[in-house]
Amino acid sequence: MGENNSGRAVALLPILVFLLIFLGAGFITGDFYSMPAIVAFLLALLVAFIQNPKVKFADKIRLAAKGVGDENIITMCLIFLVAGAFTGAVKAAGGVESTVNLGLSILPSKVAVAGLFLIGCFISISMGTSVGTITALSSIAVGISEKTGFSLAVCAGAVVGGAMFGDNLSMISDTTIAAVKTQGCDMKDKFRENFLIVLPAAVATILLFLFLGREADFQVTGNLDYNIFRVLPYLVVLIGALAGVNVFVILIAGTVLSLIVGVATGAFALGEMFTHVGAGIMGMYDITVISIIVACIVALVKEYGGIDFILTFIRKRINGERGGELGIAALALLVDMCTANNTVAIVMSGPIAKEISDDFGVTPRRSASLLDMFSSMGQGLIPYGAQLLAAASLTGLTPFEIIPYCFYPLLMGLSGLVFIFIKKRK
């Protein structure tokens, strides 16, 4: 991998090119819709293919294909498609409207966004997938925004924050499993350590959303009629998630139930139901294709030595236990920014983090927690990550409109830093 063990900084060029093109077009035109993300990613992929002429083009194609074939990438793409089917079916059946109206009938509109964040926390920690949580809740976020007058970007930020809470903490999350396995600690020990660190961030996030609601003083517009049967698909998804049922099983069950409810309540005819499922799946095509292209870019960046460069850069600058913890945090964050996948980032940086923790006296549970937290922090804030791209795609916003309201990922990182600096050292 790469040309030498220390890696090559120039290998990170495709990621830099994407950011310059995507951000540059938005700042120059004042419209972040002017440059479609798919075009910016394709240009970055072109740069990756042009780079490193010592590697044959046919070999680059094989490397990219291997990256796309990674289990995490395939699983994520399948979740997108199944979640699209559920979203299309439940929306056509009137489930979104009824769920939003039921929630606003029970809770004051001022706490709706904080409630959305909490629901996201519960679903994500139960399902273990941030992407699945975002695809399940984004349509509800749109409905709450329309009914209450809250900014859609605020509602989307609440969903992304809630999704990242569980992605970081859930015992069935890929990130948690990868962190525990690479650092050699027990799941329960990592959870206890991690939970204590992120709890202040979660509480602060809830307070922020409550404060925004208090200041805004919005009034609910329109009627709040709902049909409890149309709410059932969401209840099944929520209960199934809390019970720890596989995300695919949950979403397929929710889709089937949505179709049954839609036909039974007259929302659509029997012959139309697969049209709605198809429309939902097609709505996820963009994010699925983008995920495939990002996987190609990451595979080439890794092969050229980009990841090795980051690992070596951080490893050489560590000193002492606190320095070791800061190094692990920086390692997880930077590798995630380069891979746009927090599970992959943990798998790549885990062995180096283990060396750091052994050399500088960082406990395995602490190391696992830092790896998981800071990779999840990055994943909840980078505009080219699957989470923000999915939220943007499903709400009609751009990632840059949502990022300012992604309070939880940012506060999670800040809380992690505070705990690093206040920890008593021997």
Side-chain angles (χ1 to χ4, degrees):
M1 185 189 300
E3 296 206 354
N4 55 61
N5 291 333
S6 63
R8 304 169 69 235
V10 72
L12 301 173
L13 182 62
I15 296 170
L16 179 62
V17 167
F18 164 76
L19 291 173
L20 287 175
I21 292 173
F22 196 51
L23 290 173
F27 286 125
I28 291 171
T29 63
D31 177 14
F32 284 102
Y33 292 97
S34 63
M35 171 57 72
I38 184 70
V39 175
F41 277 121
L42 282 171
L43 291 172
L45 180 59
L46 177 62
V47 171
F49 275 125
I50 293 173
Q51 268 189 301
N52 205 342
K54 293 181 180 179
V55 180
K56 294 179 180 179
F57 184 77
D59 291 333
K60 292 176 181 178
I61 292 290
R62 277 192 288 272
L63 287 167
K66 186 177 179 181
V68 173
D70 182 86
E71 180 184 351
N72 291 304
I73 302 300
I74 295 297
T75 300
M76 183 170 64
C77 289
L78 290 175
I79 288 176
F80 282 143
L81 298 179
V82 177
F86 171 68
T87 300
V90 76
K91 186 175 181 180
V96 175
E97 181 78 5
S98 284
T99 302
V100 170
N101 289 348
L102 173 60
L104 295 178
S105 297
I106 298 172
L107 297 172
S109 62
K110 294 181 180 182
V111 303
V113 180
L116 191 60
F117 170 73
L118 279 172
I119 292 171
C121 290
F122 281 117
I123 291 182
S124 61
I125 203 169
S126 303
M127 287 203 302
T129 165
S130 52
V131 172
T133 301
I134 289 169
T135 51
L137 289 182
S138 288
S139 53
I140 292 182
V142 173
I144 287 177
S145 174
E146 291 173 348
K147 288 286 183 180
T148 63
F150 270 112
S151 162
L152 179 54
V154 174
C155 295
V159 170
V160 172
M164 298 318 299
F165 177 86
D167 198 329
N168 166 230
L169 279 177
S170 175
M171 292 194 184
I172 58 173
S173 168
D174 288 348
T175 60
T176 298
I177 293 169
V180 167
K181 293 292 184 183
T182 58
Q183 301 312 295
C185 66
D186 290 335
M187 184 77 74
K188 64 179 186 298
D189 292 334
K190 184 266 184 189
F191 179 86
R192 289 170 184 162
E193 180 96 8
N194 205 159
F195 182 75
L196 289 174
I197 296 174
V198 302
L199 181 60
V203 172
T205 300
I206 293 170
L207 293 176
L208 274 171
F209 283 128
L210 289 175
F211 179 79
L212 286 176
R214 182 185 67 82
E215 289 294 305
D217 194 27
F218 290 128
Q219 298 296 320
V220 175
T221 58
N223 67 68
L224 294 178
D225 294 337
Y226 61 87
N227 183 326
I228 193 64
F229 291 105
R230 292 177 175 175
V231 179
L232 278 178
Y234 276 116
L235 292 177
V236 167
V237 169
L238 176 59
I239 294 170
L242 293 173
V245 180
N246 180 276
V247 61
F248 288 106
V249 175
I250 291 172
L251 292 174
I252 290 172
T255 302
V256 172
L257 185 56
S258 296
L259 294 175
I260 294 172
V261 169
V263 172
T265 59
F268 49 77
L270 182 64
E272 298 175 355
M273 59 182 187
F274 293 116
T275 302
H276 298 301
V277 171
I281 293 173
M282 289 176 66
M284 301 302 287
Y285 280 2
D286 283 355
I287 179 62
T288 304
V289 173
I290 285 173
S291 297
I292 291 171
I293 294 172
V294 170
C296 292
I297 295 171
V298 168
L300 293 173
V301 167
K302 180 183 177 184
E303 177 66 21
Y304 298 162
I307 306 300
D308 283 341
F309 171 77
I310 292 173
L311 298 179
T312 304
F313 180 85
I314 292 175
R315 184 72 177 82
K316 289 179 177 178
R317 287 161 176 78
I318 293 172
N319 184 32
E321 184 183 354
R322 180 176 286 117
E325 292 183 357
L326 288 171
I328 291 170
L331 179 68
L333 178 60
L334 289 174
V335 176
D336 180 75
M337 290 172 66
C338 292
T339 59
N341 185 305
N342 46 342
T343 304
V344 172
I346 291 172
V347 171
M348 286 184 175
S349 57
I352 302 297
K354 179 62 176 171
E355 287 184 24
I356 294 171
S357 64
D358 289 343
D359 290 350
F360 297 100
V362 180
T363 63
R365 65 178 183 272
R366 185 79 160 192
S367 179
S369 298
L370 292 171
L371 270 178
D372 205 346
M373 277 190 301
F374 283 90
S375 62
S376 293
M377 172 197 174
Q379 197 64 26
L381 292 173
I382 55 175
Y384 49 94
Q387 287 74 5
L388 275 165
L389 287 171
S393 174
L394 291 163
T395 58
L397 300 170
T398 67
F400 298 102
E401 290 175 295
I402 301 173
I403 289 173
Y405 302 102
C406 291
F407 300 136
Y408 179 72
L410 182 60
L411 289 171
M412 174 170 58
L414 290 174
S415 184
L417 288 176
V418 169
F419 271 76
I420 287 174
F421 282 101
I422 67 171
K423 179 183 177 182
K424 292 182 179 179
R425 311 288 166 178
K426 294 180 181 179

